[in-house]
């Protein structure tokens, strides 16, 4: 049954997305600070992919299950999606406070697993939450607003790393097996933002109650034995994959190359600057944070500007062109040895990141049934983490044996994968199925 949804104001859409700021601040720390921490604690560069396997595995397991569960949840007080991303934010917040005190590598790796569980619990229902609330004509604005907060959260995370390294980095002498104290402060800010921004959206945005038919089904599920209730999400996921629109299989092909390439970039941008600019690990981490800060500023600026462009030219063309721009950025970065000039390609990267974080979700929301949006958003996020998982298992040997252990070759390899993803994106024709 289709629910008629009221049109929301700009500020209502803004408030419902504020919680994404804290989630993406945490994600920003994972992009920029986690791999330097692994290096500080003695991890060799070829081990970075496998040490990051927590994100793909937890995303693959947690997101679709939480999506299916949230489709079948309703609380008159807390709603449908909000209980899940509130619990996820609490888990993530606690992990962020603990992370910089990691005494050894295995402890940091273990915390990353728990942090990713929390972030995935928060992220997937949030995607469905936006789709639940907005009429179709406002979906593009809603998801591009989310893209804006992606940029803002990661921008704050990286800005804090740059600031604290500048203010306190000289006081920290790099010693093997220890994390410099200037990194602590960024994680503490993240721990606070993770919970406070989610609470803002929880209290500012009521959810739309389910229809009588949906509520009857939810209550029926609650009355089932515990074993059936546990098995239900897995059955929902299997059935949803069986019934999945053909469009989602096509976007899965795009994501295979896009997210494999992104994971390479995040893992090897710090080693790249150690090689091309002869930086220490702290200096290279700060430079990586400047890169991320730059592209996320661009993302914030262009995210909402992409809305009229996608309406005029179609999401497929804007998305594909943005992926080409991201490829060009990665082809340029390894050949620039000036710490300021190397920020220029991040303009193209930021436009690409804005498109990646908004356009595919708008497309998918238009082709999946409303009552199964949660599980399909979970499956879409499976399409993100599967390429990441493949990368963590395969790229270490590729880096060591095929690419000569060179971070320059790693970034160029990622650029080639973005070209392939752009070609595949031209096949994304949205139609109701």
């Amino acid at each position: 049954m289709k629910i008629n949804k009221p049109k929301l104001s700009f500020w209502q859409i803004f408030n419902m997305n504020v919680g994404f700021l804290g989630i993406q601040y945490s994600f920003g720390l994972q992009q920029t600070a986690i791999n330097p921490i692994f290096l500080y604690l003695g991890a060799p560069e070829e081990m970075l992919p496998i040490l990051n396997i927590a994100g793909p595995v937890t995303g693959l397991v947690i997101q679709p299950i939480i999506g299916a569960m949230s489709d079948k949840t309703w609380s008159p007080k807390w709603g449908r999606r909000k209980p899940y991303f509130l619990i996820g934010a609490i888990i993530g917040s606690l992990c962020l406070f603990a992370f910089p005190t990691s005494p050894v590598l295995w402890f940091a790796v273990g915390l990353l697993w728990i942090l990713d569980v929390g972030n995935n619990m928060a992220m997937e229902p949030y995607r469905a939450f936006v789709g639940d609330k907005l009429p179709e004509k406002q979906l593009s604005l809603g998801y591009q607003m989310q893209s804006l907060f992606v940029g803002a959260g990661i921008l704050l995370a990286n800005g804090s790393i740059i600031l604290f390294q500048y203010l306190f980095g000289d006081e920290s002498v790099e010693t093997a097996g220890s994390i410099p104290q200037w990194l602590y402060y960024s994680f503490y800010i993240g721990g606070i933002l993770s919970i406070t921004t989610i609470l803002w959206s929880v209290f500012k945005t009521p959810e739309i109650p389910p229809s009588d038919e949906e509520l009857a089904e939810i209550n029926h599920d609650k009355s089932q034995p515990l074993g059936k209730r546990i098995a239900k999400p897995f059955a929902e996921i299997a059935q949803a994959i069986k019934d999945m629109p053909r469009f989602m299989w096509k976007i899965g092909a795009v994501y295979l190359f896009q997210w494999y390439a992104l994971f390479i970039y995040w893992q090897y941008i710090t080693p790249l600057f150690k090689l091309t600019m002869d930086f220490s690990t702290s200096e290279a981490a700060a430079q990586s944070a400047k890169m991320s800060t730059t592209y996320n500023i661009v993302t914030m600026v262009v995210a909402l500007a992409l809305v009229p462009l996608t309406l005029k030219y179609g999401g497929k063309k804007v998305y594909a062109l943005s992926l080409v721009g991201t490829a060009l950025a990665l082809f340029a970065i390894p050949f620039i040895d000036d710490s300021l000039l190397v920020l220029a390609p991040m303009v193209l990267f930021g436009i690409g990141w804005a498109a990646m974080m908004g356009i595919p979700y708008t497309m998918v929301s238009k082709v999946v049934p409303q009552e199964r949006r949660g599980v399909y958003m979970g499956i879409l996020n499976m399409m993100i983490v599967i390429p990441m998982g493949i990368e963590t298992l395969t790229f270490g040997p590729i880096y060591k044996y095929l690419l000569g252990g060179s971070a320059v070759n790693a970034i160029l390899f990622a650029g080639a994968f973005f070209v392939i993803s752009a070609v595949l994106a031209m096949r994304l024709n949205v139609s109701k199925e």
Side-chain angles (χ1 to χ4, degrees):
M1 176 181 175
K2 188 167 184 178
I3 298 173
N4 292 321
K5 305 172 188 177
K7 184 178 179 180
L8 301 187
S9 71
F10 177 89
W11 290 110
Q12 285 174 312
I13 297 173
F14 181 93
N15 284 331
M16 72 187 289
N17 281 296
V18 165
F20 227 64
L21 180 73
I23 297 171
Q24 292 302 316
Y25 186 103
S26 175
F27 189 49
L29 290 179
Q30 285 186 251
Q31 285 183 19
T32 307
I34 297 297
N35 286 301
I37 283 176
F38 289 161
L39 294 173
Y40 284 126
L41 295 175
E45 287 182 9
E46 64 267 20
M47 280 189 65
L48 291 179
I50 196 67
L51 292 177
N52 282 271
I53 199 170
V57 172
T58 55
L60 184 63
V61 174
I62 298 295
Q63 291 207 21
I65 292 175
I66 293 297
M69 289 173 64
S70 66
D71 281 342
K72 304 300 181 185
T73 295
W74 176 251
S75 163
K77 182 176 182 180
W78 295 105
R80 169 176 285 176
R81 316 292 183 185
K82 293 192 290 189
Y84 295 96
F85 55 72
L86 182 57
I87 294 169
I90 293 170
I91 294 170
S93 182
L94 293 173
C95 287
L96 289 174
F97 280 115
F99 211 102
T101 62
S102 300
V104 289
L105 181 61
W106 68 263
F107 188 91
V109 172
L111 269 180
L112 180 59
W113 280 83
I114 303 171
L115 176 63
D116 274 320
V117 167
N119 284 344
N120 281 301
M121 278 193 71
M123 178 112 46
E124 193 287 326
Y126 225 124
R127 298 291 193 189
F129 178 58
V130 172
D132 290 344
K133 286 286 291 182
L134 295 176
E136 186 169 310
K137 288 184 178 180
Q138 288 190 301
L139 284 174
S140 182
L141 176 59
Y143 283 114
Q144 288 306 135
M145 180 72 78
Q146 212 168 73
S147 182
L148 184 148
F149 277 106
V150 169
I154 299 174
L155 171 64
L156 283 174
N158 288 283
S160 72
I161 291 172
I162 295 166
L163 176 65
F164 294 133
Q165 198 276 335
Y166 175 77
L167 293 177
F168 308 114
D170 290 341
E171 299 172 10
S172 298
V173 178
E174 284 190 24
T175 56
S178 66
I179 300 167
Q181 288 203 347
W182 64 265
L183 259 179
Y184 286 40
Y185 311 124
S186 294
F187 281 84
Y188 293 161
I189 291 172
I192 295 168
L193 280 178
S194 179
I195 189 64
T196 55
T197 58
I198 286 286
L199 287 172
W200 178 279
S201 291
V202 165
F203 290 116
K204 285 282 187 178
T205 309
E207 293 196 64
I208 297 174
S211 65
D212 292 339
E213 293 88 345
E214 285 182 294
L215 192 58
E217 186 176 350
I218 290 168
N219 290 330
H220 173 73
D221 288 341
K222 286 182 179 178
S223 68
Q224 296 298 305
L226 181 61
K228 283 190 176 182
R229 288 165 62 188
I230 292 172
K232 181 80 172 180
F234 297 96
E236 287 278 339
I237 294 164
Q239 188 60 44
I241 292 173
K242 182 180 177 182
D243 300 338
M244 192 160 67
R246 186 167 48 191
F247 173 85
M248 288 191 67
W249 291 107
K250 291 181 179 180
I251 208 165
V254 178
Y255 272 19
L256 176 63
F257 292 93
Q258 172 188 302
W259 287 98
Y260 193 110
L262 280 167
F263 229 37
I264 294 172
Y265 171 81
W266 290 326
Q267 289 164 5
Y268 285 96
I269 192 65
T270 295
L272 177 78
F273 291 133
K274 293 178 70 175
L275 181 65
T276 60
M277 299 187 187
D278 198 29
F279 281 165
S280 68
T281 301
S282 287
E283 290 169 331
Q287 182 65 38
S288 300
K290 291 174 186 175
M291 303 288 279
S292 189
T293 299
T294 303
Y295 80 71
N296 281 288
I297 289 173
V298 175
T299 294
M300 289 183 62
V301 171
V302 305
L304 298 186
L306 290 180
V307 176
L309 288 176
T310 55
L311 292 175
K312 183 175 181 180
Y313 298 107
K316 175 181 75 172
K317 292 179 181 177
V318 176
Y319 184 33
L321 188 60
S322 74
L323 294 173
V324 172
T326 308
L328 293 175
L330 294 189
F331 289 145
I333 290 168
F335 302 104
I336 303 173
D337 59 5
D338 183 278
S339 61
L340 288 178
L341 188 59
V342 78
L343 300 177
M346 290 294 97
V347 174
L348 291 174
F349 198 107
I351 295 169
W353 185 236
M356 290 177 233
M357 289 292 97
I359 293 174
Y361 296 96
T362 304
M363 290 175 158
V364 169
S365 279
K366 291 178 179 178
V367 301
V368 300
Q370 180 173 289
E371 67 276 6
R372 301 174 82 182
R373 182 174 280 117
V375 68
Y376 276 119
M377 285 297 172
I379 292 170
L380 183 62
N381 283 291
M382 286 173 66
M383 294 177 180
I384 294 173
V385 299
I386 288 173
M388 289 181 171
I390 294 171
E391 191 271 352
T392 63
L393 294 173
T394 61
F395 195 70
I398 291 172
Y399 178 76
K400 187 174 181 180
Y401 299 110
L402 184 61
L403 303 180
S406 168
V408 168
N409 292 336
I411 298 299
L412 295 175
F413 187 97
F417 266 36
F418 267 114
V419 172
I420 297 171
S421 69
V423 173
L424 293 172
M426 289 304 297
R427 300 168 61 245
L428 297 176
N429 297 308
V430 176
S431 61
K432 288 279 187 182
E433 297 195 29

